[in-house]
Amino acid sequence: MTKQDVEVLQHLGRKVAELAATDDNKQKIDKWTRLTDLDKSAGPLQLIHLWPLAWAEALPDEKHLVCQNEAARNYERDLRQRIWSFESLHDDTVIEPVIRYPHFTDIIAYPELPVMAHYASDDHAKTGAFKFESPIQKMADIEKIGDPDINVDWDARNAAKAEAEEIFSGILDVIPTGIYFATKVVDEWAELRGMENVYTDMMDEPEWTHEAMQLIANNFEKRFKTLEELGLWGPWEKSDPLGSTGLRFNPDIPNYQDTMKKGKCDLMDTWAFTCAEGFNCVSPGMHEEFDLPYNVQLMKLFKWVNVGCCEVLHNKVEFVKNVPNARRISVSEWCDFEKAGAEIGTELLYGYKPSGVPFLGDGLHADQVRKELRRVLDAAKDCPLEMIMNIGGTLGGGDGAAKLIEWTKIAKEEIEQTNG
């Protein structure tokens, strides 16, 4: 890195540390901590959680990054995104005074079963959806599920840590980028077997399906415990969004300072995130038969659990309550909000995922946003509530940053009006 790169990063690091020390930030931490402890009076809280494509549209690298070195640009991007979220969105974003160095770890879940993905043969422009060729074609193929392959480049990891400490020492706490992923037994089975086959197999070959699902669950457990033993599981910071839902602050989850003293993050000190989007159209009974047994095994490894992502769960709330350590449930835009609120009550955190459709076009469709938010705020009036705008794809054209700011402004107005 050049001297200029380092100076830019140190300047941004000082800004992050300054924001982390504000009373506003501390109050947000308190609210998230109480809300995830099912204190309804702490919310509703709202958060915008962007994936890489949406970030690239909201804060394009070519307009915002000045560093030249690739590693420096990665740090700069992270710092600028965190600062912009806190200063511009005015949602319930939290900043912790940390900087994360990369983990340099490669995980191959099923080394003997590569899932082949390619463009359709007639898609000459290479612009369409991928076609998947699932590797499990016959019953004997499940014998290849086996254990995951986890490889760490320790030299590169240690070098990155030393570099980060040299740049940010005395400014931010240097921590590793923890490896974290959702438990998707059903969805990984669908990748290996093919979605249509999964549905028919549950009827025609239920015992074989259970055998395969158990092997996948064993593979997940091996991944989790190996990463824990290697000190790679994470994240350490609680300000990182939990999958499809909000932040990880909770009285029972250690802060990153305590994790730093221990030198590793234990599974039982973290949240888990489980979902079965492939079972969206499966009955509650079949969902319970073919997914719950494996969630029961795996979710016992963690302190608290968020259940669901984009699937519809308003008619499966009792199933969710049977998942060990379940604390949050995702209520996606396709749910019956009222039924979900009545079923959830105060036993789970109502994790509402607003529709991203109002972002399509040059400007935000404010009337649609208000209509949907009002309905949810009324439906979940008796529930601990978080509203997480989880943009995984495009912001839909126009000024993406302006639309994000407008959404949080509307959300705050509707919350204030509802709370009187």
Side-chain angles (χ1 to χ4, degrees):
M1 294 185 193
T2 66
K3 180 181 179 181
Q4 182 181 0
D5 284 350
V6 173
E7 289 175 349
V8 168
L9 296 181
Q10 290 177 340
H11 170 73
L12 294 172
R14 291 188 188 94
K15 182 63 176 179
V16 164
E18 176 186 315
L19 294 175
T22 61
D23 289 339
D24 184 24
N25 195 58
K26 294 174 183 177
Q27 290 169 7
K28 290 176 182 178
I29 290 174
D30 176 68
K31 287 182 179 180
W32 279 111
T33 303
R34 291 192 292 118
L35 185 66
T36 62
D37 204 33
L38 303 184
D39 179 354
K40 178 181 175 294
S41 67
L45 301 180
Q46 76 279 5
L47 180 78
I48 282 184
H49 176 203
L50 303 182
W51 291 21
L53 176 58
W55 268 123
E57 294 177 350
L59 298 180
D61 285 356
E62 60 271 19
K63 291 184 178 180
H64 295 275
L65 300 189
V66 298
C67 290
Q68 300 301 310
N69 174 272
E70 182 178 356
R73 287 170 69 84
N74 289 336
Y75 285 128
E76 183 187 3
R77 184 182 301 110
D78 172 55
L79 293 167
R80 289 193 185 279
Q81 288 174 358
R82 291 157 67 192
I83 293 168
W84 181 82
S85 294
F86 193 90
E87 292 188 326
S88 299
L89 286 180
H90 303 297
D91 63 356
D92 291 302
T93 292
V94 168
I95 283 189
E96 291 179 277
V98 299
I99 192 72
R100 303 171 293 254
Y101 61 88
H103 54 70
F104 292 99
T105 303
D106 182 45
I107 302 174
I108 303 174
Y110 309 102
E112 297 186 55
L113 292 169
V115 176
M116 303 299 293
H118 55 78
Y119 291 109
S121 59
D122 59 349
D123 184 6
H124 303 298
K126 307 296 184 194
T127 57
F130 278 135
K131 176 182 179 182
F132 285 87
E133 292 187 12
S134 303
I136 292 183
Q137 297 295 321
K138 55 184 184 295
M139 297 180 74
D141 287 339
I142 65 170
E143 298 174 6
K144 300 177 183 178
I145 289 177
D147 289 338
D149 187 7
I150 299 177
N151 297 296
V152 187
D153 187 336
W154 292 105
D155 289 340
R157 178 184 171 88
N158 291 334
K161 178 183 179 182
E163 181 179 56
E165 288 175 339
E166 183 177 355
I167 298 168
F168 296 103
S169 178
I171 301 173
L172 297 174
D173 290 326
V174 175
I175 62 174
T177 297
I179 300 174
Y180 184 85
F181 47 85
T183 307
K184 298 183 176 184
V185 175
V186 166
D187 295 341
E188 289 199 2
W189 174 231
E191 287 187 7
L192 295 173
R193 178 63 176 146
M195 197 72 255
E196 295 88 347
N197 291 330
V198 167
Y199 291 149
T200 56
D201 289 340
M202 286 190 292
M203 300 295 293
D204 298 339
E205 301 290 348
E207 293 183 5
W208 178 73
T209 297
H210 277 296
E211 184 180 355
M213 300 280 272
Q214 184 61 63
L215 290 171
I216 294 172
N218 294 344
N219 183 287
F220 264 110
E221 183 170 1
K222 184 73 172 181
R223 274 180 265 169
F224 290 144
K225 290 188 173 180
T226 300
L227 292 171
E228 179 186 46
E229 291 167 3
L230 293 172
L232 299 172
W233 181 252
W236 290 16
E237 73 279 18
K238 294 197 263 186
S239 55
D240 187 65
L242 172 65
S244 65
T245 186
L247 304 185
R248 301 166 191 263
F249 293 94
N250 181 270
D252 299 315
I253 304 294
N255 58 38
Y256 78 86
Q257 293 95 334
D258 291 335
T259 304
M260 286 178 70
K261 294 175 184 176
K262 186 185 294 186
K264 63 188 290 285
C265 193
D266 294 332
L267 298 174
M268 187 46 74
D269 286 336
T270 62
W271 289 84
F273 169 32
T274 182
C275 61
E277 292 173 303
F279 272 10
N280 187 60
C281 58
V282 168
S283 70
M286 191 166 280
H287 198 147
E288 186 165 349
E289 178 183 350
F290 287 97
D291 183 47
L292 184 59
Y294 313 104
N295 267 311
V296 167
Q297 296 172 42
L298 295 170
M299 295 305 99
K300 288 180 179 178
L301 299 173
F302 303 90
K303 185 62 184 180
W304 297 121
V305 179
N306 171 66
V307 182
C309 188
C310 293
E311 66 265 45
V312 173
L313 292 174
H314 66 256
N315 62 337
K316 299 179 180 180
V317 176
E318 286 306 312
F319 159 79
V320 172
K321 290 178 180 178
N322 288 327
V323 174
N325 308 325
R327 176 54 62 100
R328 283 167 145 138
I329 179 172
S330 176
V331 181
S332 67
E333 62 188 276
W334 301 280
C335 286
D336 181 324
F337 304 140
E338 291 76 17
K339 181 174 175 58
E343 294 289 330
I344 291 168
T346 58
E347 295 181 63
L348 296 167
L349 176 52
Y350 188 121
Y352 163 56
K353 291 185 62 176
S355 171
V357 174
F359 282 83
L360 299 177
D362 291 336
L364 185 72
H365 297 274
D367 290 344
Q368 294 181 29
V369 172
R370 289 189 187 279
K371 181 179 179 180
E372 187 176 332
L373 288 175
R374 288 172 184 171
R375 183 181 165 196
V376 170
L377 287 166
D378 181 63
K381 61 182 180 296
D382 297 323
C383 310
L385 172 64
E386 60 184 0
M387 304 189 297
I388 313 301
M389 175 53 75
N390 188 8
I391 299 287
T394 178
L395 291 171
D399 189 336
K403 288 192 284 187
L404 294 170
I405 292 169
E406 185 179 1
W407 185 89
T408 57
K409 179 176 180 292
I410 292 171
K412 278 194 173 297
E413 291 172 353
E414 293 302 325
I415 290 171
E416 290 172 1
Q417 183 174 337
T418 300
N419 291 346

PDB file of all heavy atoms in Angstrom, residues 385-399:
ATOM      1  N   LEU A 385     -40.845  -6.345  17.131  1.00  0.00           N
ATOM      2  CA  LEU A 385     -40.834  -6.193  15.676  1.00  0.00           C
ATOM      3  C   LEU A 385     -39.554  -5.549  15.167  1.00  0.00           C
ATOM      4  O   LEU A 385     -39.098  -4.538  15.713  1.00  0.00           O
ATOM      5  CB  LEU A 385     -42.033  -5.341  15.240  1.00  0.00           C
ATOM      6  CG  LEU A 385     -42.100  -4.901  13.770  1.00  0.00           C
ATOM      7  CD1 LEU A 385     -42.248  -6.101  12.837  1.00  0.00           C
ATOM      8  CD2 LEU A 385     -43.238  -3.907  13.551  1.00  0.00           C
ATOM      9  N   GLU A 386     -38.987  -6.136  14.117  1.00  0.00           N
ATOM     10  CA  GLU A 386     -37.899  -5.527  13.364  1.00  0.00           C
ATOM     11  C   GLU A 386     -38.298  -5.535  11.890  1.00  0.00           C
ATOM     12  O   GLU A 386     -38.986  -6.454  11.426  1.00  0.00           O
ATOM     13  CB  GLU A 386     -36.579  -6.278  13.567  1.00  0.00           C
ATOM     14  CG  GLU A 386     -36.624  -7.737  13.137  1.00  0.00           C
ATOM     15  CD  GLU A 386     -35.335  -8.482  13.436  1.00  0.00           C
ATOM     16  OE1 GLU A 386     -34.391  -7.871  13.980  1.00  0.00           O
ATOM     17  OE2 GLU A 386     -35.266  -9.686  13.128  1.00  0.00           O
ATOM     18  N   MET A 387     -37.887  -4.508  11.167  1.00  0.00           N
ATOM     19  CA  MET A 387     -38.214  -4.381   9.750  1.00  0.00           C
ATOM     20  C   MET A 387     -36.902  -4.269   8.981  1.00  0.00           C
ATOM     21  O   MET A 387     -36.206  -3.243   9.074  1.00  0.00           O
ATOM     22  CB  MET A 387     -39.110  -3.167   9.514  1.00  0.00           C
ATOM     23  CG  MET A 387     -40.384  -3.202  10.349  1.00  0.00           C
ATOM     24  SD  MET A 387     -41.600  -1.924   9.922  1.00  0.00           S
ATOM     25  CE  MET A 387     -40.684  -0.448  10.330  1.00  0.00           C
ATOM     26  N   ILE A 388     -36.566  -5.296   8.226  1.00  0.00           N
ATOM     27  CA  ILE A 388     -35.256  -5.392   7.600  1.00  0.00           C
ATOM     28  C   ILE A 388     -35.395  -5.356   6.079  1.00  0.00           C
ATOM     29  O   ILE A 388     -35.833  -6.329   5.455  1.00  0.00           O
ATOM     30  CB  ILE A 388     -34.528  -6.687   8.011  1.00  0.00           C
ATOM     31  CG1 ILE A 388     -34.615  -6.897   9.525  1.00  0.00           C
ATOM     32  CG2 ILE A 388     -33.084  -6.660   7.528  1.00  0.00           C
ATOM     33  CD1 ILE A 388     -34.024  -5.779  10.360  1.00  0.00           C
ATOM     34  N   MET A 389     -35.028  -4.217   5.484  1.00  0.00           N
ATOM     35  CA  MET A 389     -35.036  -4.111   4.029  1.00  0.00           C
ATOM     36  C   MET A 389     -33.757  -4.771   3.520  1.00  0.00           C
ATOM     37  O   MET A 389     -32.687  -4.175   3.492  1.00  0.00           O
ATOM     38  CB  MET A 389     -35.107  -2.639   3.614  1.00  0.00           C
ATOM     39  CG  MET A 389     -35.007  -2.411   2.099  1.00  0.00           C
ATOM     40  SD  MET A 389     -36.191  -3.365   1.127  1.00  0.00           S
ATOM     41  CE  MET A 389     -37.698  -2.455   1.462  1.00  0.00           C
ATOM     42  N   ASN A 390     -33.886  -6.035   3.131  1.00  0.00           N
ATOM     43  CA  ASN A 390     -32.744  -6.871   2.759  1.00  0.00           C
ATOM     44  C   ASN A 390     -32.644  -6.920   1.234  1.00  0.00           C
ATOM     45  O   ASN A 390     -33.200  -7.807   0.593  1.00  0.00           O
ATOM     46  CB  ASN A 390     -32.940  -8.269   3.344  1.00  0.00           C
ATOM     47  CG  ASN A 390     -31.728  -9.156   3.176  1.00  0.00           C
ATOM     48  OD1 ASN A 390     -30.668  -8.701   2.760  1.00  0.00           O
ATOM     49  ND2 ASN A 390     -31.876 -10.424   3.506  1.00  0.00           N
ATOM     50  N   ILE A 391     -31.950  -5.939   0.652  1.00  0.00           N
ATOM     51  CA  ILE A 391     -31.845  -5.839  -0.804  1.00  0.00           C
ATOM     52  C   ILE A 391     -30.735  -6.758  -1.297  1.00  0.00           C
ATOM     53  O   ILE A 391     -29.553  -6.506  -1.086  1.00  0.00           O
ATOM     54  CB  ILE A 391     -31.560  -4.384  -1.244  1.00  0.00           C
ATOM     55  CG1 ILE A 391     -32.692  -3.460  -0.809  1.00  0.00           C
ATOM     56  CG2 ILE A 391     -31.347  -4.323  -2.751  1.00  0.00           C
ATOM     57  CD1 ILE A 391     -33.967  -3.615  -1.586  1.00  0.00           C
ATOM     58  N   GLY A 392     -31.132  -7.847  -1.949  1.00  0.00           N
ATOM     59  CA  GLY A 392     -30.147  -8.784  -2.474  1.00  0.00           C
ATOM     60  C   GLY A 392     -29.801  -8.536  -3.924  1.00  0.00           C
ATOM     61  O   GLY A 392     -28.752  -8.958  -4.399  1.00  0.00           O
ATOM     62  N   GLY A 393     -30.675  -7.855  -4.632  1.00  0.00           N
ATOM     63  CA  GLY A 393     -30.451  -7.599  -6.049  1.00  0.00           C
ATOM     64  C   GLY A 393     -30.337  -6.120  -6.345  1.00  0.00           C
ATOM     65  O   GLY A 393     -29.827  -5.339  -5.544  1.00  0.00           O
ATOM     66  N   THR A 394     -30.839  -5.728  -7.487  1.00  0.00           N
ATOM     67  CA  THR A 394     -30.704  -4.350  -7.945  1.00  0.00           C
ATOM     68  C   THR A 394     -31.606  -3.397  -7.168  1.00  0.00           C
ATOM     69  O   THR A 394     -32.660  -3.788  -6.651  1.00  0.00           O
ATOM     70  CB  THR A 394     -31.038  -4.257  -9.442  1.00  0.00           C
ATOM     71  OG1 THR A 394     -30.940  -2.895  -9.863  1.00  0.00           O
ATOM     72  CG2 THR A 394     -32.441  -4.768  -9.724  1.00  0.00           C
ATOM     73  N   LEU A 395     -31.187  -2.131  -7.127  1.00  0.00           N
ATOM     74  CA  LEU A 395     -32.011  -1.069  -6.556  1.00  0.00           C
ATOM     75  C   LEU A 395     -32.958  -0.468  -7.592  1.00  0.00           C
ATOM     76  O   LEU A 395     -33.688   0.476  -7.298  1.00  0.00           O
ATOM     77  CB  LEU A 395     -31.125   0.026  -5.957  1.00  0.00           C
ATOM     78  CG  LEU A 395     -30.350  -0.391  -4.701  1.00  0.00           C
ATOM     79  CD1 LEU A 395     -29.334   0.678  -4.320  1.00  0.00           C
ATOM     80  CD2 LEU A 395     -31.298  -0.654  -3.549  1.00  0.00           C
ATOM     81  N   GLY A 396     -32.927  -1.005  -8.811  1.00  0.00           N
ATOM     82  CA  GLY A 396     -33.960  -0.696  -9.780  1.00  0.00           C
ATOM     83  C   GLY A 396     -33.794   0.561 -10.596  1.00  0.00           C
ATOM     84  O   GLY A 396     -34.761   1.080 -11.141  1.00  0.00           O
ATOM     85  N   GLY A 397     -32.597   1.091 -10.707  1.00  0.00           N
ATOM     86  CA  GLY A 397     -32.397   2.286 -11.522  1.00  0.00           C
ATOM     87  C   GLY A 397     -32.561   3.563 -10.726  1.00  0.00           C
ATOM     88  O   GLY A 397     -32.972   3.563  -9.567  1.00  0.00           O
ATOM     89  N   GLY A 398     -32.251   4.675 -11.372  1.00  0.00           N
ATOM     90  CA  GLY A 398     -32.348   5.967 -10.699  1.00  0.00           C
ATOM     91  C   GLY A 398     -31.273   6.113  -9.637  1.00  0.00           C
ATOM     92  O   GLY A 398     -30.241   5.439  -9.661  1.00  0.00           O
ATOM     93  N   ASP A 399     -31.506   7.000  -8.694  1.00  0.00           N
ATOM     94  CA  ASP A 399     -30.565   7.257  -7.609  1.00  0.00           C
ATOM     95  C   ASP A 399     -30.844   6.279  -6.478  1.00  0.00           C
ATOM     96  O   ASP A 399     -31.711   6.502  -5.630  1.00  0.00           O
ATOM     97  CB  ASP A 399     -30.720   8.704  -7.126  1.00  0.00           C
ATOM     98  CG  ASP A 399     -29.638   9.110  -6.142  1.00  0.00           C
ATOM     99  OD1 ASP A 399     -29.066   8.217  -5.488  1.00  0.00           O
ATOM    100  OD2 ASP A 399     -29.375  10.318  -6.007  1.00  0.00           O
TER     101      ASP A 399
END
